[in-house]
Amino acid sequence: MNISELINALSSGAIDDRLRMLYGSSERTLLRQRARYLSAAENFSNLYPERNEIHVFSAPGRTEVGGNHTDHQHGCVLAAAVNLDVIAIVAFHDEGVIRVKSEGYPEDIVELDELGMIEKETGTSAALIRGVCAKFAEQGVKIGGFDAYTTSDVLSGSGLSSSAAFEVLIGTIIDNYYNGGEAGAVEIAKTGQYAENVYFGKASGLMDQMVSSVGGFVFIDFNDPASPVIRSVSFDFEGAGYCLCITDTKGSHADLTPDYSAVPAEMKNVAAAMGCKVLREADEEEFYSKLPELRKVCSDRELLRAAHFFAENSRAEQEAQTLENGDTEGFFELIRESGDSSYQLLQNVYSCRKPENQEIPLAIMLSKRFLNGSGAVRVHGGGFAGTIQAFVPNYLAADYSAEMERVFGEGSCYILSVRPVGGYELVINA
């Protein structure tokens, strides 16, 4: 398609069905997305006026639903793609270079004949682009040049994985155009993780990229991290009368690295005391029977965190099963149990080094008070500061958001829906 065809399709409503699939049925949201895509197309045209033939791509953020701090112990997780995404207007060419201008940032330029790591790029989006291309090339996946303008509403630091969405976007662009989609969602996710771990310089599991790439609710078993077992879970939360609300409590993540690092380290200490590398290899009943001996070599907090893993690991699979059975009340009960376990056993709702800062417990308390037994609420993601997650009846969503924003500030609560697809090319005549 060309720029004019995209603008006409957006203005006429010709692709409203695809926009509703990606972003939900709200007319207000639909109007905002039309305007967003039109703005992106205009900005692309101004940046690259010589490019007329274009493609449009999108990759979503993700939310962790169940399996809090289980993946690094080779456990199970349940997560979902959400209707916040990063989109790209793209023009392909044979110039051997990728140019990406992300809204609010300088243009990244990556020469495709130079795919080795560049130290000064560490921590930048250019490193992610180069890393994705390097891994694809290593695997024999064809790569090629393009110019792109991107804009994202997956806010950085929101716990919704903006970096994974960007990695999946780049991987989807390359795979769809140059390989006819043959690499596929799973390999795109693995390539994104490689780029983030090796080129960007940030350790991360595979969950974020996998959910962004696959879309919908996704159950993942990381027993073999090199070949995770992935199962799509079909459930229409909007149709069931619920939405997903993420509240940013505005707690600072500064100086929390020791708190995050301690969780996997302490779990692995318990695993080592049981003769294992990770807790997934350990036997739960043996753990409880050996508690007196384990207390001699492990701290009480380490043991509590191990207990969280054992219960949370099986709970993630139960959560997936309740959704597949259409059992919303059973699902919510498991989410409440998961939240209580994270609070009491995992202990990742605030930093014990900063006990005066308890934004997450405050937000959970307010949510429970407001919901009064409806839906469910729990800490979201890594914890210690940042966001909470609540499943809220649609008829309460606006009032719930207003209550959260009354306390945590305007714009702090996001009313989301689960997006059924991952990395995606929006085609006019689909």
Side-chain angles (χ1 to χ4, degrees), residues 220-242:
I220 311 173
D221 186 340
F222 288 108
N223 191 36
D224 179 1
S227 300
V229 176
I230 302 155
R231 184 168 95 240
S232 292
V233 179
S234 179
F235 187 80
D236 181 5
F237 247 100
E238 187 175 16
Y242 291 88

Side-chain angles (χ1 to χ4, degrees), residues 274-320:
M274 297 181 68
C276 305
K277 290 184 179 179
V278 292
L279 284 174
R280 184 64 182 273
E281 300 172 358
D283 181 78
E284 182 177 4
E285 293 306 315
E286 180 184 356
F287 165 76
Y288 282 104
S289 69
K290 289 186 174 179
L291 273 178
E293 292 88 349
L294 290 172
R295 286 196 74 197
K296 296 174 184 177
V297 292
C298 300
S299 71
D300 289 341
R301 189 174 74 171
E302 289 175 338
L303 297 173
L304 288 169
R305 285 176 164 171
H308 164 82
F309 169 82
F310 289 121
E312 186 75 352
N313 190 52
S314 60
R315 190 158 40 231
E317 186 161 13
Q318 293 170 38
E319 288 165 351

Side-chain angles (χ1 to χ4, degrees), residues 406-427:
R406 181 180 71 87
V407 178
F408 297 103
E410 185 177 353
S412 60
C413 185
Y414 307 95
I415 302 174
L416 307 179
S417 62
V418 175
R419 166 171 155 156
V421 297
Y424 182 77
E425 181 174 4
L426 194 151
V427 181

Side-chain angles (χ1 to χ4, degrees), residues 64 66-73 263 267 279 284 287-288 301-316 337-348 378-379 381:
E64 175 199 283
N68 196 211
H69 279 282
T70 53
D71 57 335
H72 49 68
Q73 299 301 299
V263 175
M267 288 184 179
L279 284 174
E284 182 177 4
F287 165 76
Y288 282 104
R301 189 174 74 171
E302 289 175 338
L303 297 173
L304 288 169
R305 285 176 164 171
H308 164 82
F309 169 82
F310 289 121
E312 186 75 352
N313 190 52
S314 60
R315 190 158 40 231
E337 290 177 10
S338 175
D340 289 344
S341 182
S342 291
Y343 205 139
Q344 298 164 10
L345 303 181
L346 184 61
Q347 300 177 38
N348 70 331
R378 51 158 288 182
V379 63

